[in-house]
């Protein structure tokens, strides 16, 4: 099978890169072994929340401009501050074209409310989820926090405690529906995706609206767990019109509805543009000649290779097995690429779980053009994008989604200009 570009990995980076290349008319394939980390998404996309020294960032663009001073190996520093600023400006349109409507901008972090009621700085948030411009100010004074009976992945009491501290009066509501009884028989089935499938039907959504309208009477707004809109885009507006109040969603424990919806939307957009998506397949080996990848072989296609002018490695980090830890080194399992890591395993981590863990900055070694290094030499047509890149701490710096998106778009430009 012959393509212009083959992307290995179907997460946020792989999908964004594939979409941008397909938009430019390139024939692309994505090989993805399974569900990506997008399924665990909270509904927000971070760009930069903290500098490497821990200083909070309110203006991500300004923060990126300062990154190179503290961490020259950071992907943003490698891509360049000006390029990052330009690419960040392109991301909202890319997401919206895929049907993911977001709010926010790259010059000012807003605050998204977490499943525990805390406020967290972020870059872009999917419309409908509870956000504020300031961490201690909310667009309501009296709110009803409603939950489905028996749903354990949502915590109204914790949310109310945080809101009470900021002067918001809270009350609780519960709702049920006969169509939920079948999945309620097994507690392990009472998960957000299964519940959302019930409320994808008009009659069930109408019944939910009626129950919420009575429970939220006298309140300024209503907060719901994200249990609607798995396969339809109008669920939230449907409820808002019938309840007659502002309704805000909060993400639940993963797998999350906003994450599943985002993954589905990106896949649909890629295929709509002519891309070919091979789900449930994994790369077993690659043929490399004269510092160029010629072809790759996958589990599902046996001796039928994938051939391309360019390849993109977007397999992620440890979570998705894009990187594998052995007793003495960090391995990139697809191409045997060089990796950046500390030789002494005792220095890979600290015993304090929430500390800045050194291993999180381990990753694939690249040249300044994000071409993958192997035995000290760049592979001319193999690029790396996303969480597998070395030099950054996605959790502490609150930049995981931003690195995935910006590196993916940067790699797409490099491929198009090659």
């Amino acid at each position: 099978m012959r393509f212009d570009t083959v992307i290995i990995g179907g997460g946020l980076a792989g999908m964004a890169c594939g979409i941008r290349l397909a938009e430019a008319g390139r024939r692309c394939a994505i090989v993805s072994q399974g569900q990506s980390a997008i399924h665990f998404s909270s509904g927000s996309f971070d760009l930069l929340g903290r500098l490497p020294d821990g200083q909070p960032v309110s203006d991500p663009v300004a923060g990126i401009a300062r990154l190179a001073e503290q961490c020259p190996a950071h992907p943003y520093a490698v891509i360049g501050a000006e390029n990052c600023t330009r690419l960040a400006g392109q991301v909202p349109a890319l997401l919206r074209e895929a049907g993911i409507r977001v709010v926010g901008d790259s010059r000012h972090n807003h605050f998204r409310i977490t499943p525990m009621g805390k406020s967290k700085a972020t870059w872009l948030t999917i419309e409908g989820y509870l956000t504020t411009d300031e961490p201690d100010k909310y667009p309501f004074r009296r709110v009803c926090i409603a939950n489905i009976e028996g749903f354990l992945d949502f915590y109204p009491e914790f949310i109310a405690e945080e809101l009470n501290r900021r002067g918001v009066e809270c009350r609780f509501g519960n709702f049920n529906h006969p169509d939920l009884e079948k999945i309620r028989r097994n507690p392990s089935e009472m998960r957000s995706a299964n519940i959302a499938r019930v409320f994808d039907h008009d009659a069930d959504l109408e019944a939910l609206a009626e129950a919420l309208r009575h429970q939220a009477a006298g309140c300024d707004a209503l907060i719901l767990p994200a249990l609607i809109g798995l396969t339809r885009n109008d669920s939230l507006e449907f409820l808002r019109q019938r309840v007659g109040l502002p309704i805000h969603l909060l993400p639940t424990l993963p797998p999350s509805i906003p994450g599943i919806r985002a993954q589905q939307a990106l896949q649909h957009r890629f295929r709509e543009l002519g891309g070919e998506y091979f789900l449930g397949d994994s790369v077993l080996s690659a043929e490399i000649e004269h510092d160029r990848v010629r072809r790759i072989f996958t589990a599902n296609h046996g001796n039928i290779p994938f051939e391309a002018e360019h390849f993109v490695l977007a397999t992620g980090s440890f979570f998705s097995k894009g990187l594998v830890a052995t007793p003495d080194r960090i391995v990139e399992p697809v191409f045997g690429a060089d990796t950046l890591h500390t030789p002494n395993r005792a220095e890979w981590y600290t015993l304090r779980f929430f500390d800045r863990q050194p291993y999180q900055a381990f990753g694939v070694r690249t040249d300044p053009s994000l071409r993958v290094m192997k035995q000290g030499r760049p592979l001319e047509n193999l690029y790396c994008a996303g969480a597998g890149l070395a030099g950054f701490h996605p959790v502490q710096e609150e930049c995981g989604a931003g690195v995935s998106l910006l590196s993916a778009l940067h790699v797409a430009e490099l491929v198009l200009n090659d």
Side-chain angles (χ1 to χ4, degrees):
M1 291 182 288
R2 182 75 184 178
F3 299 92
D4 296 322
T5 303
V6 172
I7 299 166
I8 305 164
L12 189 58
M15 295 301 304
C17 186
I19 288 171
R20 179 49 46 87
L21 290 171
E23 286 175 339
R26 298 298 176 93
R27 186 164 182 257
C28 298
I30 292 177
V31 180
S32 177
Q33 64 181 357
Q35 292 182 350
S36 75
I38 302 177
H39 279 74
F40 294 80
S41 169
S42 62
S44 290
F45 303 89
D46 295 338
L47 184 56
L48 185 65
R50 292 184 180 276
L51 291 174
D53 64 4
Q55 181 180 349
V57 171
S58 59
D59 181 342
V61 166
I64 289 173
R66 298 171 55 192
L67 259 180
E69 303 170 8
Q70 297 185 19
C71 187
H74 197 289
Y76 288 158
V78 175
I79 295 170
E82 290 186 6
N83 281 331
C84 286
T85 301
R86 178 176 54 82
L87 295 170
Q90 298 175 10
V91 169
L94 182 146
L95 295 175
R96 289 174 186 139
E97 286 295 321
I100 306 171
R101 295 172 295 185
V102 293
V103 296
D105 67 78
S106 58
R107 294 311 306 252
H108 177 69
N109 275 331
H110 63 271
F111 294 87
R112 186 254 307 170
I113 309 305
T114 73
M116 301 301 286
K118 301 284 187 179
S119 57
K120 179 187 178 300
T122 193
W123 168 34
L124 301 172
T125 298
I126 296 175
E127 287 183 356
Y129 288 80
L130 181 54
T131 63
T132 67
D133 289 329
E134 299 180 43
D136 295 325
K137 292 186 179 180
Y138 292 86
F140 44 72
R141 304 313 304 167
R142 298 184 65 197
V143 66
C144 176
I145 305 172
N147 192 20
I148 287 180
E149 292 181 13
F151 182 59
L152 303 179
D153 292 342
F154 187 66
Y155 308 101
E157 291 80 8
F158 289 130
I159 298 164
E161 183 177 352
E162 291 297 326
L163 296 181
N164 289 159
R165 291 175 180 171
R166 292 160 178 81
V168 177
E169 180 184 339
C170 302
R171 77 182 194 207
F172 302 114
N174 283 293
F175 51 90
N176 199 355
H177 193 280
D179 289 349
L180 294 173
E181 292 305 318
K182 184 176 180 179
I183 61 176
R184 185 175 282 108
R185 294 171 193 161
N186 185 346
S188 66
E189 295 298 316
M190 280 291 288
R191 295 291 181 260
S192 57
N194 293 332
I195 296 170
R197 289 188 183 95
V198 171
F199 292 115
D200 273 342
H201 301 97
D202 278 352
D204 298 315
L205 202 57
E206 190 77 58
L208 174 59
E210 181 65 17
L212 294 175
R213 187 170 63 83
H214 290 291
Q215 294 188 14
C219 290
D220 303 323
L222 180 66
I223 293 177
L224 290 180
L227 300 174
I228 57 173
L230 183 63
T231 62
R232 55 189 289 174
N233 296 320
D234 65 336
S235 298
L236 183 58
E237 187 58 33
F238 184 103
L239 289 180
R240 284 173 170 170
Q241 289 180 359
R242 284 157 178 78
V243 174
L245 283 175
I247 299 177
H248 306 280
L249 300 177
L250 285 187
T252 65
L253 295 182
S256 66
I257 297 302
I260 294 172
R261 286 282 295 156
Q263 177 77 48
Q264 292 173 342
L266 292 170
Q267 287 181 11
H268 177 77
R269 174 63 173 164
F270 177 67
R271 286 175 166 145
E272 181 183 56
L273 292 166
E276 296 196 40
Y277 192 88
F278 297 88
L279 180 63
D281 202 358
S282 57
V283 179
L284 300 179
S285 62
E287 289 185 6
I288 301 173
E289 300 174 0
H290 307 297
D291 295 330
R292 290 185 68 86
V293 178
R294 299 299 180 183
R295 57 190 62 86
I296 60 173
F297 295 86
T298 72
N300 291 353
H301 290 83
N303 61 357
I304 302 174
F306 287 70
E307 298 181 341
E309 288 298 314
H310 298 93
F311 294 83
V312 178
L313 182 64
T315 49
S317 187
F318 299 101
F319 177 83
S320 56
K321 299 182 181 179
L323 297 173
V324 176
T326 71
D328 60 349
R329 61 196 181 105
I330 303 299
V331 176
E332 186 283 303
V334 175
F335 296 95
D338 297 344
T339 58
L340 184 65
H341 64 277
T342 304
N344 184 359
R345 186 183 178 94
E347 298 176 359
W348 291 4
Y349 59 91
T350 71
L351 296 178
R352 295 175 62 87
F353 182 78
F354 292 105
D355 280 358
R356 186 181 177 90
Q357 299 290 342
Y359 74 84
Q360 291 183 343
F362 297 167
V364 173
R365 193 184 296 271
T366 67
D367 73 357
S369 295
L370 297 187
R371 293 184 299 177
V372 172
M373 304 290 290
K374 184 177 175 67
Q375 297 177 351
R377 297 170 59 86
L379 297 175
E380 296 176 359
N381 65 335
L382 175 62
Y383 297 87
C384 185
L389 290 166
F392 72 108
H393 288 76
V395 177
Q396 281 76 17
E397 294 164 1
E398 300 172 13
C399 64
V403 167
S404 289
L405 288 163
L406 270 56
S407 64
L409 297 183
H410 183 60
V411 163
E413 288 186 346
L414 294 172
V415 168
L416 292 171
N417 293 326
D418 190 359

